[in-house]
Amino acid sequence: MFADYSSSELLAIFAMQGFAGLSLFSIFVLMALGLAIIFGQMGVINMAHGEFMILGAYMTYLTSNLFEALMPGLYGAYFIVAMVVAFVSAGALGALVEWAMIRRLYHRPLDTLLATWGLSLILQQCYRSIFGAREVGVSLPDWLMGSVAVTDMIEIPINGLFVMVLTLLIAAGVYYLMYRSNWGGQVRAVVQNRPMAGAVGINTGKVDRMTFALGCGIAGVAGSAFTMIGSTGPTSGQLYIVDTFLVVVFGGAASLLGTIASAFTISQAQSTMEFFLSGSMAKVLTLLVVVGILMLRPQGLFSLKIRR
């Protein structure tokens, strides 16, 4: 298999595969961070997480059309504005969903699974009714087009680099919120001992609502990034929900570091095996390995001790 390639060609192939793995890692992290906050910190199985992501993608699509129609001279800046709009829109819907439905289902994980699955179907039909059943796409601004030539044989797409930088910034922001801010201390207090957190004056209901909104808002930003790698349809979010849950559970449901480590491990494994096997076989083998590891270590790669 390798005899047909020179050493420089093999190096270029593996470098490109490695970058493809990093691009996949970025998408996994963006999607899994929001779910890790909702599932890991709150214990809510949010089957509608993909639909919050697609809401962000549709907001990006609408923002693109708005800038193109009304402000063509500022079209190059639309994507930055679109990410803010996606975050606010998905976060606001998340806060509404938590207030109207989720807060009544805490400590009933199977009920949250069924309720959010029903919500996902409702949102899919809403998207289908508003935007149509056909997939839509956005045109990237000029500064996200093209690639950076590392060597004569290796070129890295600029939009891939942008997604990676965006992922690092969001991960750093989430880390600061969760581990360096007063609000993050309240969240961790509620996770570790909810009755005691309430007894010392923490508004646990408000913390839950803001936490759920933050997770959904990050999913909206992931939807904006998603428009750079694929088209957007009413059911596009369901294509990624399994991989996202796999990343969160494998890394450790309540661990931010575990989520990032899990996303890196799974993305690099899939990308490397896709060079030797088909894409579907790479996914199957990755899933089997992850399931085998979880059988030996059910708490995932990293775990937190939680007082009950």
Side-chain angles (χ1 to χ4, degrees), residues 58-304:
Y58 275 125
M59 289 300 103
T60 304
Y61 168 72
L62 291 178
T63 305
S64 170
N65 290 345
L66 182 65
F67 269 73
E68 187 175 14
L70 302 180
M71 296 174 284
L74 298 176
Y75 189 79
Y78 94 84
F79 199 82
I80 304 299
V81 177
M83 288 191 296
V84 177
V85 173
F87 178 83
V88 172
S89 301
L93 179 60
L96 177 63
V97 168
E98 196 281 337
W99 174 81
M101 181 176 68
I102 300 298
R103 67 190 178 104
R104 310 172 194 277
L105 301 175
Y106 288 126
H107 308 298
R108 294 156 60 185
L110 292 181
D111 289 346
T112 63
L113 186 151
L114 292 174
T116 54
W117 178 66
L119 176 64
S120 73
L121 297 179
I122 294 172
L123 290 177
Q124 287 176 30
Q125 187 56 48
C126 289
Y127 299 153
R128 192 174 289 109
S129 300
I130 297 172
F131 300 102
R134 298 183 61 181
E135 295 184 341
V136 298
V138 300
S139 299
L140 295 178
D142 292 338
W143 59 275
L144 284 175
M145 303 293 287
S147 58
V148 176
V150 179
T151 67
D152 294 337
M153 302 181 65
I154 301 175
E155 292 186 350
I156 299 176
I158 293 177
N159 59 354
L161 288 173
F162 177 78
V163 173
M164 291 173 61
V165 173
L166 177 65
T167 301
L168 292 175
L169 291 176
I170 292 178
V174 171
Y175 174 82
Y176 175 80
L177 281 175
M178 298 302 296
Y179 297 102
R180 292 292 182 267
S181 69
N182 292 332
W183 178 78
Q186 293 181 10
V187 172
R188 288 181 284 116
V190 172
V191 170
Q192 294 182 19
N193 195 322
R194 179 179 291 269
M196 185 60 69
V200 298
I202 295 176
N203 187 338
T204 58
K206 182 179 179 181
V207 169
D208 289 336
R209 189 163 304 123
M210 295 301 295
T211 303
F212 194 86
L214 175 63
C216 293
I218 294 175
V221 177
S224 288
F226 172 77
T227 60
M228 290 192 288
I229 63 170
S231 54
T232 304
T235 60
S236 298
Q238 292 299 310
L239 301 177
Y240 294 89
I241 190 66
V242 174
D243 285 337
T244 306
F245 268 107
L246 187 66
V247 167
V248 173
V249 174
F250 182 51
S255 173
L256 176 62
L257 177 61
T259 298
I260 297 174
S262 172
F264 181 81
T265 302
I266 292 176
S267 62
Q268 288 297 325
Q270 284 192 14
S271 180
T272 301
M273 286 190 290
E274 282 176 1
F275 179 71
F276 302 99
L277 306 169
S278 64
S280 58
M281 281 302 299
K283 280 185 172 292
V284 169
L285 288 178
T286 302
L287 178 61
L288 289 176
V289 171
V290 170
V291 169
I293 294 175
L294 288 176
M295 291 177 66
L296 299 175
R297 188 178 173 80
Q299 69 270 33
L301 295 177
F302 299 85
S303 61
L304 297 178

